[in-house]
Structures are given as C-alpha cells and as structure tokens.
Amino acid sequence: MKPIQIDLVQQWLDKFINQTVYIHVETTNGAYASHLDEKAYNVGAYVRNVQITYNQAKIVGEGNAYRIGLKTNNGWIYAEGLTDWTIHEGSKILLAGHDREGRLMVALQISETPFDY
C-alpha cells in the first residue's frame, strides 16, 4: 500500500458510480486497546461483500488522514481515518487507515466482484 493520493483515489471512486459493487468496511482497535489499558473496551465493525450502488463518492482531508463518503439512494456509507491505498487485481480499490505503529484501524474496499474470504 502507498499513501493516499487524493486525486487518484477520487478517479477510482468515480469509476464505480452507478454500478452495483461489493464493499468491505471494517473498523477495529482490536486487542490493542486492552493491551495498552486494561480498562479499555475493544470495539470494531465488520461488513463484507454487501452489494450497493452509490451515486456520489467523495474523498476529503488533508495531510495524513482522509474520509471517504459513498452516497446511496438510501443514505451514506463512510470511512474516516484512511491513510493508505492500492489497486488489487487490477480493479479492486483497497483503502486502509493505520495507526503510528502500522496497525489496521479502518478499511474500505470496493470491487465489482465479491471479496475472497
């Protein structure tokens, strides 16, 4: 993965507008929280291979963390804290947010085909 380049990511997001796509959205502080503070709660969300069609996509942010919003007919999906991205298998956009130690904190992935398990 490489640091997000806002213009290139926006171009890729726009390629999927008005298409049925599969998304993967994940947030986690994993076991990190309880390892650093025994009173902390582990939190996370995981959504994989849900089909959506979005009609607008926007990436915003400056510096080292970005937010992406996908507008559907029924509402919004967004991921915040994204730092890195890559194109996988030629057509899947994979975005992730890593903390200072490189641990995954958030992921957003978009594909025309289902993600492998």
Side-chain angles (χ1 to χ4, degrees), residues 14-107:
D14 290 347
K15 288 181 181 189
F16 294 114
I17 288 177
N18 294 322
Q19 294 184 44
T20 301
V21 294
Y22 292 86
I23 63 162
H24 171 90
V25 180
E26 179 178 352
T27 63
T28 184
N29 67 352
Y32 318 139
S34 60
H35 284 210
L36 299 174
D37 179 356
E38 64 185 35
K39 295 179 183 177
Y41 291 99
N42 292 338
V43 298
Y46 185 88
V47 177
R48 188 160 181 86
N49 285 329
V50 172
Q51 286 186 295
I52 67 162
T53 302
Y54 62 85
N55 52 45
Q56 181 181 355
K58 186 69 177 167
I59 180 169
V60 296
E62 302 180 359
N64 55 5
Y66 299 87
R67 179 175 66 235
I68 291 178
L70 306 174
K71 184 179 183 209
T72 71
N73 287 337
N74 297 316
W76 285 86
I77 296 168
Y78 81 90
E80 189 165 3
L82 298 163
T83 58
D84 304 292
W85 79 299
T86 193
I87 300 302
H88 183 64
E89 298 176 346
S91 62
K92 297 178 181 184
I93 185 168
L94 311 180
L95 301 122
H98 298 99
D99 68 9
R100 288 177 204 88
E101 286 79 37
R103 299 174 296 204
L104 180 67
M105 302 302 282
V106 60

Coordinates of all heavy atoms in Angstrom, one line a residue, residues 14-107:
D14 N -14.8 7.3 -8.6 CA -15.8 7.8 -9.7 C -16.0 6.7 -10.7 O -17.1 6.6 -11.3 CB -15.3 9.0 -10.4 CG -15.3 10.3 -9.5 OD1 -15.9 10.2 -8.4 OD2 -14.7 11.3 -9.9
K15 N -15.1 5.8 -10.9 CA -15.3 4.7 -11.9 C -16.4 3.7 -11.5 O -17.0 3.1 -12.3 CB -14.0 3.8 -12.0 CG -12.9 4.5 -12.7 CD -11.7 3.6 -12.8 CE -10.6 4.3 -13.5 NZ -9.4 3.4 -13.8
F16 N -16.7 3.7 -10.2 CA -17.8 2.8 -9.7 C -19.1 3.4 -9.5 O -20.1 2.8 -9.1 CB -17.3 2.1 -8.4 CG -16.1 1.2 -8.5 CD1 -15.0 1.6 -7.9 CD2 -16.2 0.1 -9.2 CE1 -13.8 0.8 -8.0 CE2 -15.1 -0.8 -9.3 CZ -13.9 -0.4 -8.7
I17 N -19.3 4.7 -9.8 CA -20.5 5.4 -9.6 C -21.6 4.8 -10.5 O -21.4 4.4 -11.7 CB -20.4 6.9 -10.0 CG1 -19.6 7.6 -8.8 CG2 -21.7 7.6 -10.1 CD1 -19.3 9.1 -9.0
N18 N -22.8 4.6 -9.9 CA -24.0 4.0 -10.6 C -23.7 2.5 -11.0 O -24.4 2.1 -12.0 CB -24.4 4.9 -11.7 CG -24.9 6.2 -11.2 OD1 -25.6 6.3 -10.2 ND2 -24.6 7.3 -11.9
Q19 N -22.8 1.8 -10.4 CA -22.6 0.4 -10.7 C -22.9 -0.3 -9.4 O -22.7 0.2 -8.3 CB -21.2 0.1 -11.1 CG -20.7 0.7 -12.4 CD -19.3 0.3 -12.7 OE1 -19.0 -0.9 -12.6 NE2 -18.5 1.2 -13.2
T20 N -23.4 -1.6 -9.5 CA -23.5 -2.4 -8.4 C -22.2 -2.9 -8.0 O -21.5 -3.5 -8.9 CB -24.5 -3.6 -8.6 OG1 -25.8 -3.0 -9.0 CG2 -24.7 -4.4 -7.4
V21 N -21.7 -2.7 -6.8 CA -20.4 -3.1 -6.3 C -20.5 -3.8 -5.0 O -21.5 -3.7 -4.3 CB -19.4 -1.9 -6.2 CG1 -19.1 -1.3 -7.6 CG2 -19.9 -0.8 -5.3
Y22 N -19.4 -4.5 -4.7 CA -19.3 -5.1 -3.3 C -18.4 -4.2 -2.5 O -17.5 -3.7 -3.0 CB -18.7 -6.5 -3.5 CG -19.5 -7.5 -4.2 CD1 -19.5 -7.6 -5.5 CD2 -20.4 -8.4 -3.4 CE1 -20.3 -8.5 -6.2 CE2 -21.2 -9.3 -4.1 CZ -21.1 -9.4 -5.5 OH -21.9 -10.3 -6.1
I23 N -18.8 -4.1 -1.2 CA -18.0 -3.3 -0.3 C -17.5 -4.1 0.9 O -18.2 -5.1 1.3 CB -18.6 -2.0 0.2 CG1 -19.9 -2.3 1.0 CG2 -18.9 -1.1 -1.0 CD1 -20.3 -1.1 1.8
H24 N -16.4 -3.7 1.4 CA -15.9 -4.2 2.7 C -15.6 -3.0 3.5 O -14.9 -2.1 3.1 CB -14.7 -5.1 2.5 CG -14.0 -5.4 3.7 ND1 -14.3 -6.6 4.4 CD2 -13.0 -4.8 4.5 CE1 -13.5 -6.6 5.5 NE2 -12.8 -5.6 5.6
V25 N -16.2 -2.9 4.7 CA -15.9 -1.8 5.6 C -15.6 -2.5 7.0 O -16.3 -3.3 7.5 CB -17.1 -0.9 5.8 CG1 -16.8 0.2 6.8 CG2 -17.6 -0.3 4.5
E26 N -14.5 -2.0 7.6 CA -14.0 -2.6 8.8 C -13.4 -1.5 9.7 O -12.7 -0.7 9.2 CB -13.0 -3.7 8.5 CG -12.4 -4.4 9.7 CD -11.4 -5.5 9.3 OE1 -11.3 -5.8 8.0 OE2 -10.8 -6.0 10.1
T27 N -13.8 -1.5 10.9 CA -13.1 -0.7 11.9 C -12.7 -1.5 13.1 O -13.4 -2.5 13.4 CB -14.0 0.5 12.4 OG1 -15.1 -0.1 13.1 CG2 -14.4 1.4 11.3
T28 N -11.6 -1.2 13.7 CA -11.2 -2.0 14.9 C -10.1 -1.3 15.7 O -9.3 -0.5 15.1 CB -10.6 -3.4 14.4 OG1 -10.3 -4.1 15.6 CG2 -9.4 -3.3 13.6
N29 N -10.1 -1.5 16.9 CA -8.9 -1.2 17.7 C -8.4 -2.5 18.2 O -7.4 -2.5 19.0 CB -9.2 -0.2 18.8 CG -10.1 -0.7 19.9 OD1 -10.6 -1.8 19.8 ND2 -10.3 0.0 21.0
G30 N -9.0 -3.6 17.8 CA -8.5 -4.9 18.1 C -8.2 -5.1 19.5 O -8.8 -4.5 20.4
A31 N -7.2 -5.9 19.7 CA -6.7 -6.2 21.1 C -5.8 -5.1 21.6 O -5.4 -5.1 22.7 CB -6.0 -7.5 21.2
Y32 N -5.5 -4.1 20.7 CA -4.6 -3.0 21.0 C -5.1 -2.3 22.3 O -4.3 -2.0 23.1 CB -4.4 -2.0 19.9 CG -4.3 -2.6 18.5 CD1 -5.0 -2.0 17.4 CD2 -3.5 -3.7 18.3 CE1 -4.9 -2.5 16.2 CE2 -3.4 -4.2 17.0 CZ -4.1 -3.7 15.9 OH -4.0 -4.2 14.7
A33 N -6.4 -2.0 22.3 CA -6.9 -1.2 23.4 C -6.6 -1.8 24.8 O -6.1 -1.2 25.7 CB -8.4 -0.9 23.2
S34 N -7.0 -3.1 24.9 CA -6.8 -3.7 26.2 C -5.4 -4.0 26.6 O -5.0 -4.2 27.7 CB -7.7 -5.0 26.3 OG -7.3 -5.9 25.3
H35 N -4.5 -4.1 25.6 CA -3.1 -4.3 25.8 C -2.5 -3.1 26.4 O -1.6 -3.2 27.2 CB -2.3 -4.7 24.6 CG -2.6 -6.1 24.2 ND1 -1.7 -6.9 23.5 CD2 -3.7 -6.9 24.3 CE1 -2.1 -8.1 23.3 NE2 -3.4 -8.1 23.7
L36 N -3.0 -1.9 26.0 CA -2.4 -0.7 26.5 C -3.1 -0.2 27.8 O -2.5 0.6 28.5 CB -2.5 0.4 25.4 CG -1.7 0.1 24.1 CD1 -2.0 1.1 23.1 CD2 -0.3 -0.1 24.4
D37 N -4.4 -0.5 27.9 CA -5.2 -0.1 29.0 C -6.2 -1.2 29.4 O -7.1 -1.4 28.6 CB -5.9 1.2 28.7 CG -6.7 1.8 29.8 OD1 -6.9 1.1 30.9 OD2 -7.3 2.9 29.6
E38 N -6.0 -1.8 30.5 CA -6.8 -3.0 30.9 C -8.3 -2.6 31.1 O -9.2 -3.4 31.0 CB -6.3 -3.7 32.1 CG -6.3 -2.8 33.3 CD -5.7 -3.5 34.5 OE1 -4.7 -4.3 34.3 OE2 -6.2 -3.3 35.6
K39 N -8.6 -1.3 31.2 CA -10.0 -0.8 31.4 C -10.6 -0.5 30.1 O -11.8 -0.2 30.0 CB -10.0 0.4 32.3 CG -9.6 0.0 33.8 CD -9.6 1.2 34.6 CE -9.1 0.8 36.0 NZ -9.1 2.0 36.9
A40 N -9.8 -0.4 29.0 CA -10.4 -0.1 27.7 C -11.2 -1.2 27.1 O -11.0 -2.3 27.4 CB -9.2 0.3 26.7
Y41 N -12.2 -0.8 26.3 CA -13.0 -1.7 25.6 C -12.5 -1.9 24.2 O -12.0 -1.0 23.5 CB -14.4 -1.2 25.5 CG -15.1 -1.2 26.8 CD1 -15.2 0.0 27.5 CD2 -15.7 -2.3 27.3 CE1 -15.8 0.1 28.8 CE2 -16.3 -2.3 28.6 CZ -16.4 -1.1 29.3 OH -17.0 -1.1 30.5
N42 N -12.6 -3.2 23.7 CA -12.3 -3.4 22.3 C -13.5 -3.1 21.5 O -14.6 -3.5 21.9 CB -11.9 -4.9 22.1 CG -10.6 -5.2 22.7 OD1 -9.8 -4.3 23.0 ND2 -10.4 -6.5 23.0
V43 N -13.4 -2.4 20.4 CA -14.5 -2.1 19.5 C -14.2 -2.4 18.1 O -13.0 -2.4 17.7 CB -14.9 -0.6 19.7 CG1 -15.4 -0.3 21.1 CG2 -13.8 0.3 19.2
G44 N -15.2 -2.6 17.3 CA -15.0 -2.9 15.9 C -16.3 -3.0 15.2 O -17.3 -3.3 15.8
A45 N -16.2 -2.9 13.9 CA -17.4 -3.2 13.0 C -16.8 -3.9 11.7 O -15.7 -3.6 11.3 CB -18.1 -1.9 12.6
Y46 N -17.6 -4.8 11.2 CA -17.1 -5.6 10.0 C -18.3 -5.8 9.1 O -19.3 -6.4 9.5 CB -16.6 -6.9 10.6 CG -15.9 -7.8 9.5 CD1 -14.6 -7.6 9.2 CD2 -16.7 -8.8 8.9 CE1 -14.0 -8.5 8.2 CE2 -16.1 -9.6 8.0 CZ -14.8 -9.5 7.6 OH -14.2 -10.3 6.7
V47 N -18.2 -5.4 7.9 CA -19.2 -5.6 6.8 C -18.5 -6.1 5.6 O -17.5 -5.4 5.2 CB -20.0 -4.3 6.5 CG1 -21.0 -4.5 5.4 CG2 -20.7 -3.8 7.8
R48 N -18.8 -7.2 5.0 CA -18.1 -7.8 3.9 C -19.1 -8.3 2.8 O -20.0 -9.0 3.2 CB -17.2 -8.9 4.3 CG -16.2 -9.4 3.2 CD -15.0 -10.1 3.9 NE -14.1 -10.6 3.0 CZ -13.0 -9.9 2.5 NH1 -12.9 -8.6 2.8 NH2 -12.2 -10.4 1.7
N49 N -18.8 -8.0 1.6 CA -19.5 -8.5 0.4 C -21.0 -8.1 0.4 O -21.8 -8.8 0.0 CB -19.3 -10.0 0.3 CG -18.0 -10.3 -0.3 OD1 -17.4 -9.6 -1.0 ND2 -17.5 -11.5 0.1
V50 N -21.2 -6.9 0.9 CA -22.5 -6.3 0.8 C -22.6 -5.5 -0.5 O -21.7 -4.8 -0.9 CB -22.8 -5.3 2.0 CG1 -24.1 -4.6 1.7 CG2 -22.9 -6.1 3.3
Q51 N -23.6 -5.8 -1.3 CA -23.8 -5.1 -2.6 C -24.5 -3.8 -2.4 O -25.5 -3.7 -1.7 CB -24.6 -5.9 -3.6 CG -23.8 -7.1 -4.1 CD -24.6 -7.9 -5.2 OE1 -25.6 -8.4 -4.9 NE2 -24.0 -7.8 -6.4
I52 N -23.9 -2.7 -3.0 CA -24.5 -1.4 -3.0 C -24.3 -0.8 -4.4 O -23.5 -1.2 -5.2 CB -23.9 -0.5 -1.9 CG1 -22.4 -0.1 -2.3 CG2 -24.0 -1.1 -0.5 CD1 -21.9 1.1 -1.6
T53 N -25.1 0.3 -4.6 CA -24.9 1.2 -5.8 C -24.8 2.6 -5.2 O -25.7 3.0 -4.5 CB -26.1 1.0 -6.8 OG1 -26.2 -0.3 -7.2 CG2 -25.8 1.9 -8.0
Y54 N -23.7 3.2 -5.5 CA -23.6 4.6 -5.0 C -23.6 5.6 -6.2 O -23.2 5.3 -7.3 CB -22.4 4.8 -4.1 CG -21.0 4.6 -4.6 CD1 -20.4 5.6 -5.3 CD2 -20.4 3.4 -4.4 CE1 -19.1 5.4 -5.8 CE2 -19.1 3.2 -4.9 CZ -18.5 4.2 -5.6 OH -17.2 4.0 -6.1
N55 N -24.2 6.8 -5.9 CA -24.4 7.7 -7.0 C -23.4 9.0 -6.8 O -23.4 9.9 -7.6 CB -25.8 8.2 -7.1 CG -26.4 8.6 -5.8 OD1 -25.8 9.4 -5.1 ND2 -27.6 8.2 -5.5
Q56 N -22.7 9.0 -5.7 CA -21.7 10.0 -5.4 C -20.7 9.5 -4.5 O -20.9 8.7 -3.6 CB -22.4 11.2 -4.8 CG -21.5 12.4 -4.5 CD -22.2 13.5 -3.8 OE1 -23.4 13.5 -3.6 NE2 -21.5 14.5 -3.4
A57 N -19.4 9.9 -4.8 CA -18.3 9.5 -3.9 C -17.4 10.7 -3.8 O -17.1 11.4 -4.7 CB -17.5 8.3 -4.6
K58 N -16.9 10.8 -2.5 CA -16.1 12.0 -2.2 C -15.0 11.6 -1.2 O -15.3 11.0 -0.2 CB -17.0 13.1 -1.7 CG -16.2 14.4 -1.5 CD -15.9 15.1 -2.8 CE -15.2 16.4 -2.5 NZ -14.5 16.9 -3.7
I59 N -13.8 12.0 -1.5 CA -12.7 11.9 -0.5 C -12.3 13.3 -0.1 O -12.2 14.2 -0.9 CB -11.5 11.1 -1.1 CG1 -10.4 11.0 -0.1 CG2 -11.0 11.7 -2.4 CD1 -9.3 10.0 -0.4
V60 N -12.2 13.4 1.2 CA -11.8 14.7 1.8 C -10.8 14.5 2.8 O -10.7 13.5 3.4 CB -13.0 15.5 2.3 CG1 -14.0 15.9 1.3 CG2 -13.7 14.8 3.5
G61 N -10.0 15.6 3.1 CA -9.0 15.5 4.2 C -7.7 16.2 3.7 O -7.6 16.5 2.5
E62 N -6.8 16.3 4.6 CA -5.5 16.9 4.3 C -4.5 16.2 5.1 O -4.7 15.6 6.1 CB -5.5 18.4 4.8 CG -6.5 19.3 4.2 CD -6.4 20.7 4.7 OE1 -5.5 21.0 5.6 OE2 -7.2 21.5 4.3
G63 N -3.3 16.2 4.5 CA -2.2 15.6 5.3 C -2.2 14.1 5.3 O -2.0 13.5 4.2
N64 N -2.4 13.5 6.4 CA -2.2 12.1 6.5 C -3.4 11.3 6.9 O -3.3 10.1 7.1 CB -1.1 11.8 7.6 CG -1.4 12.5 8.9 OD1 -2.5 13.0 9.1 ND2 -0.5 12.4 9.8
A65 N -4.6 11.8 6.9 CA -5.8 11.0 7.2 C -7.0 11.6 6.4 O -7.1 12.8 6.3 CB -6.1 11.0 8.6
Y66 N -7.7 10.7 5.8 CA -8.8 11.1 4.9 C -10.1 10.4 5.2 O -10.1 9.4 5.9 CB -8.4 10.7 3.4 CG -7.2 11.5 3.0 CD1 -5.9 10.9 3.2 CD2 -7.2 12.7 2.4 CE1 -4.8 11.6 2.9 CE2 -6.1 13.4 2.0 CZ -4.9 12.8 2.2 OH -3.7 13.5 1.9
R67 N -11.2 11.0 4.7 CA -12.5 10.4 4.9 C -13.1 10.2 3.5 O -13.0 11.1 2.7 CB -13.5 11.3 5.7 CG -14.8 10.7 5.9 CD -15.7 11.6 6.8 NE -16.0 12.9 6.2 CZ -15.7 14.0 6.8 NH1 -15.2 14.1 8.0 NH2 -16.0 15.2 6.2
I68 N -13.8 9.1 3.3 CA -14.5 8.8 2.0 C -15.9 8.5 2.4 O -16.2 7.7 3.2 CB -13.8 7.6 1.3 CG1 -12.4 7.9 0.8 CG2 -14.7 7.1 0.2 CD1 -11.7 6.8 0.1
G69 N -16.8 9.2 1.6 CA -18.2 9.0 1.7 C -18.8 8.5 0.4 O -18.4 9.0 -0.7
L70 N -19.7 7.5 0.5 CA -20.3 6.9 -0.6 C -21.8 7.2 -0.4 O -22.4 6.7 0.5 CB -20.1 5.4 -0.8 CG -18.6 5.0 -0.8 CD1 -18.5 3.5 -0.7 CD2 -17.9 5.6 -2.0
K71 N -22.5 7.9 -1.3 CA -23.9 8.3 -1.2 C -24.7 7.3 -2.0 O -24.5 7.1 -3.2 CB -24.2 9.7 -1.7 CG -25.6 10.1 -1.5 CD -25.9 11.5 -1.9 CE -27.3 11.8 -1.6 NZ -27.9 12.8 -2.5
T72 N -25.6 6.6 -1.3 CA -26.6 5.7 -2.0 C -27.9 6.3 -2.0 O -28.1 7.4 -1.5 CB -26.6 4.3 -1.2 OG1 -27.4 4.5 0.0 CG2 -25.3 3.8 -1.0
N73 N -28.9 5.7 -2.7 CA -30.3 6.2 -2.7 C -30.9 6.3 -1.3 O -31.8 7.0 -1.0 CB -31.1 5.4 -3.6 CG -30.8 5.7 -5.1 OD1 -30.3 6.7 -5.4 ND2 -31.1 4.7 -5.9
N74 N -30.4 5.4 -0.4 CA -30.9 5.3 1.0 C -30.1 6.0 2.1 O -30.5 6.0 3.2 CB -31.2 3.8 1.3 CG -32.1 3.2 0.4 OD1 -33.2 3.8 0.1 ND2 -31.8 2.0 -0.1
G75 N -29.0 6.5 1.7 CA -28.1 7.1 2.8 C -26.7 7.1 2.4 O -26.3 7.0 1.2
W76 N -25.8 7.2 3.4 CA -24.4 7.3 3.2 C -23.6 6.1 3.9 O -24.0 5.7 5.0 CB -23.9 8.6 3.8 CG -24.2 9.8 3.0 CD1 -25.4 10.5 3.1 CD2 -23.4 10.4 2.1 NE1 -25.3 11.6 2.2 CE2 -24.1 11.6 1.6 CE3 -22.1 10.2 1.6 CZ2 -23.6 12.4 0.6 CZ3 -21.6 11.0 0.6 CH2 -22.3 12.1 0.2
I77 N -22.5 5.8 3.3 CA -21.5 4.9 3.9 C -20.2 5.7 4.0 O -19.9 6.4 2.9 CB -21.3 3.6 3.1 CG1 -22.6 2.8 3.1 CG2 -20.1 2.8 3.7 CD1 -22.6 1.7 2.1
Y78 N -19.6 5.8 5.1 CA -18.3 6.5 5.1 C -17.3 5.8 6.0 O -17.6 5.1 6.9 CB -18.5 8.0 5.4 CG -18.6 8.3 6.9 CD1 -17.5 8.6 7.6 CD2 -19.8 8.4 7.5 CE1 -17.6 8.9 9.0 CE2 -19.9 8.7 8.8 CZ -18.8 9.0 9.6 OH -18.9 9.3 10.9
A79 N -16.0 6.1 5.7 CA -14.9 5.6 6.5 C -14.0 6.7 6.7 O -13.7 7.5 5.8 CB -14.2 4.4 5.7
E80 N -13.5 6.9 7.9 CA -12.7 8.0 8.3 C -11.4 7.5 8.9 O -11.4 6.4 9.5 CB -13.4 8.9 9.3 CG -12.7 10.2 9.6 CD -13.6 11.1 10.4 OE1 -14.8 10.8 10.7 OE2 -13.2 12.3 10.6
G81 N -10.3 8.2 8.7 CA -9.0 7.9 9.2 C -8.2 7.1 8.2 O -7.2 6.4 8.6
L82 N -8.6 7.1 6.9 CA -7.9 6.3 5.9 C -6.5 7.0 5.6 O -6.4 8.2 5.5 CB -8.7 6.3 4.6 CG -10.0 5.5 4.8 CD1 -11.0 5.8 3.7 CD2 -9.8 4.0 5.0
T83 N -5.5 6.2 5.4 CA -4.1 6.7 5.2 C -3.5 6.1 4.0 O -2.6 6.8 3.4 CB -3.2 6.4 6.4 OG1 -3.2 5.0 6.6 CG2 -3.7 7.1 7.7
D84 N -3.8 4.9 3.6 CA -3.1 4.2 2.5 C -4.1 3.6 1.5 O -5.2 3.3 1.8 CB -2.2 3.1 3.1 CG -1.3 3.7 4.1 OD1 -0.4 4.4 3.7 OD2 -1.4 3.4 5.3
W85 N -3.6 3.3 0.3 CA -4.4 2.7 -0.7 C -3.6 1.9 -1.7 O -2.4 2.0 -1.8 CB -5.2 3.7 -1.4 CG -4.5 4.5 -2.5 CD1 -3.4 5.3 -2.3 CD2 -4.8 4.5 -3.8 NE1 -3.0 5.8 -3.5 CE2 -3.8 5.3 -4.5 CE3 -5.8 3.9 -4.6 CZ2 -3.8 5.5 -5.8 CZ3 -5.7 4.1 -6.0 CH2 -4.8 5.0 -6.6
T86 N -4.3 1.0 -2.4 CA -3.7 0.3 -3.5 C -4.8 -0.2 -4.4 O -6.0 -0.3 -4.0 CB -2.8 -0.9 -3.0 OG1 -2.0 -1.4 -4.1 CG2 -3.7 -2.0 -2.5
I87 N -4.5 -0.6 -5.6 CA -5.4 -1.3 -6.5 C -4.9 -2.7 -6.6 O -3.8 -3.0 -6.8 CB -5.3 -0.7 -8.0 CG1 -5.7 0.8 -7.9 CG2 -6.2 -1.5 -8.9 CD1 -7.1 1.1 -7.3
H88 N -5.9 -3.6 -6.3 CA -5.6 -5.0 -6.2 C -6.3 -5.8 -7.3 O -7.4 -5.5 -7.7 CB -6.2 -5.6 -4.8 CG -5.9 -7.0 -4.6 ND1 -4.6 -7.5 -4.4 CD2 -6.7 -8.0 -4.4 CE1 -4.7 -8.8 -4.1 NE2 -6.0 -9.1 -4.2
E89 N -5.5 -6.7 -7.9 CA -6.0 -7.5 -9.0 C -6.6 -6.6 -10.2 O -7.5 -7.0 -10.9 CB -7.1 -8.5 -8.6 CG -6.6 -9.5 -7.6 CD -7.7 -10.4 -7.0 OE1 -8.9 -10.1 -7.2 OE2 -7.3 -11.4 -6.4
G90 N -6.0 -5.4 -10.3 CA -6.3 -4.6 -11.5 C -7.6 -3.7 -11.4 O -7.8 -2.8 -12.2
S91 N -8.5 -4.1 -10.4 CA -9.8 -3.4 -10.4 C -10.4 -3.2 -9.0 O -11.5 -2.6 -8.9 CB -10.8 -4.1 -11.3 OG -11.0 -5.4 -10.8
K92 N -9.8 -3.7 -8.0 CA -10.3 -3.6 -6.6 C -9.6 -2.4 -5.9 O -8.4 -2.5 -5.8 CB -10.2 -4.9 -5.8 CG -11.0 -6.0 -6.4 CD -10.8 -7.3 -5.7 CE -11.6 -8.4 -6.3 NZ -11.6 -9.6 -5.6
I93 N -10.3 -1.5 -5.4 CA -9.7 -0.4 -4.7 C -9.7 -0.8 -3.2 O -10.8 -1.1 -2.6 CB -10.3 1.0 -4.9 CG1 -9.5 2.1 -4.2 CG2 -11.8 1.0 -4.6 CD1 -9.9 3.5 -4.6
L94 N -8.5 -0.8 -2.6 CA -8.4 -1.2 -1.2 C -7.8 0.1 -0.5 O -6.8 0.6 -0.9 CB -7.4 -2.4 -1.0 CG -7.7 -3.6 -1.9 CD1 -6.6 -4.7 -1.5 CD2 -9.1 -4.1 -1.7
L95 N -8.5 0.5 0.6 CA -8.1 1.6 1.4 C -8.0 1.2 2.8 O -8.8 0.5 3.3 CB -9.0 2.8 1.2 CG -9.2 3.3 -0.3 CD1 -10.6 3.2 -0.7 CD2 -8.7 4.7 -0.4
A96 N -7.0 1.7 3.5 CA -6.9 1.4 4.9 C -6.4 2.6 5.7 O -5.7 3.5 5.2 CB -5.9 0.2 5.1
G97 N -6.7 2.6 7.0 CA -6.1 3.5 7.9 C -5.3 2.8 8.9 O -5.8 1.9 9.6
H98 N -4.0 3.2 9.1 CA -3.1 2.6 10.0 C -2.7 3.6 11.1 O -2.6 4.8 10.8 CB -1.9 2.1 9.3 CG -2.2 1.1 8.3 ND1 -2.3 1.4 6.9 CD2 -2.4 -0.3 8.4 CE1 -2.6 0.3 6.3 NE2 -2.6 -0.7 7.1
D99 N -2.5 3.1 12.3 CA -2.0 4.0 13.4 C -0.5 4.2 13.2 O 0.1 3.7 12.3 CB -2.4 3.5 14.7 CG -1.8 2.2 15.2 OD1 -0.8 1.7 14.5 OD2 -2.2 1.7 16.2
R100 N 0.1 4.9 14.2 CA 1.5 5.2 14.1 C 2.4 4.0 14.1 O 3.5 4.0 13.6 CB 1.9 6.1 15.2 CG 1.4 7.5 15.1 CD 1.7 8.4 16.3 NE 0.8 9.5 16.4 CZ -0.3 9.5 17.1 NH1 -0.7 8.4 17.7 NH2 -1.1 10.6 17.1
E101 N 1.9 2.9 14.7 CA 2.6 1.6 14.8 C 2.3 0.7 13.6 O 2.8 -0.4 13.5 CB 2.4 0.9 16.1 CG 3.0 1.5 17.3 CD 2.2 2.7 17.8 OE1 1.0 2.7 17.8 OE2 2.9 3.7 18.2
G102 N 1.5 1.2 12.6 CA 1.2 0.4 11.4 C 0.1 -0.6 11.6 O -0.2 -1.4 10.7
R103 N -0.7 -0.5 12.7 CA -1.8 -1.4 12.9 C -3.0 -0.9 12.2 O -3.3 0.3 12.2 CB -2.1 -1.6 14.4 CG -0.8 -2.1 15.2 CD -1.1 -2.1 16.7 NE -1.2 -0.7 17.1 CZ -1.0 -0.4 18.4 NH1 -0.6 -1.2 19.3 NH2 -1.1 0.9 18.7
L104 N -3.8 -1.9 11.7 CA -5.0 -1.5 11.0 C -6.1 -0.9 11.9 O -6.3 -1.5 13.0 CB -5.6 -2.8 10.3 CG -6.9 -2.5 9.5 CD1 -6.7 -1.6 8.3 CD2 -7.5 -3.8 9.1
M105 N -6.6 0.2 11.6 CA -7.7 0.8 12.4 C -9.0 0.9 11.6 O -10.1 0.8 12.2 CB -7.3 2.2 12.8 CG -6.0 2.2 13.6 SD -6.0 1.2 15.1 CE -7.0 2.3 16.2
V106 N -8.9 1.1 10.3 CA -10.1 1.2 9.4 C -9.8 0.7 8.0 O -8.7 0.8 7.6 CB -10.7 2.6 9.4 CG1 -9.7 3.6 8.8 CG2 -12.0 2.7 8.7
A107 N -10.8 0.1 7.4 CA -10.6 -0.4 6.0 C -11.9 -0.1 5.2 O -13.0 -0.2 5.7 CB -10.3 -1.9 5.9

